[in-house]
Amino acid sequence: KNQKQSFHEVPVVVVIVLNSIDPYMKTADMTSASAVEDLSNAVAEVAIDVDEELKLLLSVGEECQTENELRELLLLHKQKSDTSKFRLYDGFEPSGRMHIAQGVFKARNVNKCTRAGGVFVFWVADWFALMNDKMGGDLEKIQIVGQYLMEVWKAAGMILKQQEQEVVVFLWASEEITKHATKYWPQMIDIARRFNITRVKKCCQIMGRLEGGLTAAQILYPLMQCTDVFFLNANICQLGVDQRKVNMLAREYCGFVKQRTRPPIILSHHMLYGLKEGQAKMSKSDADSAIFMEDSSEEVRRKIMAAYCPTTTPPVVVQEKEPQDEQQEQDAGKSSLQLIKDELKNPCLDYVKNIILNDDPTAKTTFTAAGITYNKFEDVKDAFLTGLMSEVELKEGLINELNALLEPVRYHFTHNEHAKELLSQVQQFKKEAATTTDSSSSEFRRLDLVSFKVIPANCAVVFVPFPTATPTLQLAMDTIAQIFQAASQQVLPIVLFLSDWSAMVQNACAAEEKVIQSFYDVFICCIKSLLLSSNTNAISMEKNVIIVRQSEAILKDPSNYWISVINVGRHFMLDEVMGEKMKDSDAVGRVIARLMRVADVLALNPSAVYFPAVINGNNDDAFVEKTLIEKYLSLPSVLKSFEKESAPLLVNVLPFSPLVLQQERELEAHVTENDEYYLMDDPKVHGKSKMKKAFCQPGNVDFCPAISILSAFQYHLKFSVKNESENASSSNCAITIHRSLENGGDVEYTTPAELVADFSDGSMHPGDLKGAAANLMVSVLEQLSESIKNDPEANKGAKALKAFEKKKQKSKK
């Protein structure tokens, strides 16, 4: 009360200061008058500093999410030390031009933030400019433009150092992302797996797009911008109002991750109107929509004199809505660019308020028009709207003020040799860009695993299925079917590709890296074991198969890999990548994984790719991925880069046989634990117990698990049965089923068709058939169990999968 503080602020300040002087509380008698007085003084001192800093920061933004969190952040850094700095960030893509909002307006806002005790980090998005083919896709030119923009800010009065300490930091995305790829990309993947497509679509205002008509790449940009926030350890996102939705995505993400308790604070600055009527914001592509930092005094006069400058609110024109309006894309997000209601939308008054007077509580700014000097914007607006100031007088005053602000910039680029050289280079780049209309000449970028000697040229590719905690024998046998198909076509060697990062982005095994690794350890062990047991001699795992892990491959050249992912996304519309079955409510990670699959094939440059066949509409991912790969790798620019006449051979491979043991149940309650299929790590006793429960209706050959299993393992894999029993034996891949004389005696089948015919007409009893299949599965599971036991990594992996599944089932209860 003595310090004239508002009542609601006192409890917050007291609690935090008490925490900061906790050692003093333990040694002093806090009931004494002197101690209470000392505490009161400490509270007052901190509160005054924080209130001033808070007011300064709030003057930057049209919106703050949230003010209480911002106050808490300031107090926290006061507790640490007087020199403790919080971090703010904004990003910019070097594109060659800087309008006055990005120049003067931003410089003033940055100065406010650093005076309030922050370090401002500029994320120079040169890597993103490269992806968007700015400056012809020449990274060196893009970086020169970035340096030019930095010089503009220096000349515009941005303070880069305080007391010899850097308070403004410029970080180049190309350097930082490449240097810290193992941190950046897993972070992006983790963000992507947390949100559905609908939520990410809402962020696409950052590119001036409505939710309809998006390319697949435009889904990636918000995810990467959200990643930037955490990669840069930003406490405050100090960007424009147009970026608030993706910044809110970053706050929502914090609700998913336990290790980060403080969500980033959003401090969104105002978006200045364009100078033309109806322009919700400035446009770098329209030179007359804004004053640019390099504009001459004559250009400033011409643009301001022609600027839209109403004195009354324009009438609302109601137009009939047309489906798929061509103007929708241009109008995307305009309704939410201005958080403060302003029906007048006068850009000249907007310039006076935000560029000239600028609402800086620590600086006295004035505006002079018609010989009258104003200190408050409200007075300028009232004078103009009431007719005391004419439009010409307002504009003349604005021209004088703008030229006074731009004059130091013009002087700097005239007299500073380094700045003059940068400007000359940028102007030359613009001339070159104006005369170049062919974008196909830009470099085709991709990860090249052949040049890195990870794989030989012209190999075959089989993609290992995405991980699951309960790996079935069906997955292994389907993969072996694809391997056999490649071997039969003499396409060798064969790459077994482990898509671990794609698995993470789709939230496979809850994206737990160790669990995903455990799946691959068990899977590869079982594939090796089954191939060794085969009498086909079609393939040697050691000689003909190369195992490639996606994450390790990507990190050979992460920049070019992710550029290829984004380029694929730019080519395809989002709806095309989603396909017919994916919905907006599905995880956005599925979209990212499909783009990555195309980029993986670009990296491998194979002669053939083998996919599991789509049966009864199942495996939609494989169908869509195959379609995307076929279309993209048939593009002339891609074929030219690969020096090929056609895309690689894309082959759909049917499974040997479906290995499901039960018919589809209508109710989940009817499903008992893992009785529908055999698992790779099932104990051998399950060979009989699961087969005993398996469906086997007499005469039903449309769905007969026993026949399917005998066909897959004996006829296709030619599995060598080591432990024969009295029920069945194998010789040269034929099965002899032992029966009593009264039941017809022993019978040998050399083809599946013979067995199907006998079971169909009743000649083979279900009990005898299931007995043969059970003994075969006992042998298969015994061998797999022994292989897993003898492989330390697979043995550890099998235990980890079981523990994960147990934990998952427990969490459902």
Side-chain angles (χ1 to χ4, degrees), residues 309-326:
C309 191
T311 56
T312 58
T313 303
V316 178
V317 180
V318 179
Q319 297 179 339
E320 293 185 6
K321 293 182 179 180
E322 298 182 10
Q324 302 299 323
D325 187 352
E326 291 180 1

Side-chain angles (χ1 to χ4, degrees), residues 91-137:
F92 70 95
E93 185 177 301
S95 58
R97 305 201 77 189
M98 181 184 282
H99 52 59
I100 199 164
Q102 190 181 9
V104 173
F105 186 46
K106 189 64 188 180
R108 286 184 171 179
N109 281 340
V110 168
N111 289 346
K112 290 180 184 180
C113 293
T114 55
R115 284 206 305 272
V119 169
F120 207 103
V121 179
F122 274 106
W123 187 235
V124 189
D126 56 338
W127 196 78
F128 299 86
L130 177 69
M131 292 187 297
N132 292 325
D133 290 327
K134 298 293 174 66
M135 300 296 152

Side-chain angles (χ1 to χ4, degrees), residues 654-710:
L654 289 167
F656 292 141
S657 297
L659 304 180
V660 182
L661 300 176
Q662 304 290 344
Q663 287 184 311
E664 186 176 353
R665 283 115 165 196
E666 293 183 6
L667 297 176
E668 189 175 344
H670 294 162
V671 178
T672 58
E673 185 178 0
N674 294 334
D675 69 339
E676 294 182 289
Y677 37 75
Y678 283 110
L679 302 181
M680 296 180 199
D681 58 349
D682 268 345
K684 70 176 184 178
V685 295
H686 284 184
K688 286 188 177 180
S689 63
K690 288 189 176 182
M691 183 52 64
K692 184 178 181 180
K693 298 176 185 178
F695 181 85
C696 194
Q697 184 182 34
N700 185 343
V701 293
D702 293 327
F703 181 74
C704 185
I707 292 178
S708 294
I709 283 170
L710 289 167

Side-chain angles (χ1 to χ4, degrees), residues 708-719:
S708 294
I709 283 170
L710 289 167
S711 174
F713 285 95
Q714 200 61 55
Y715 293 106
H716 293 290
L717 182 62
K718 297 178 174 55
F719 184 82

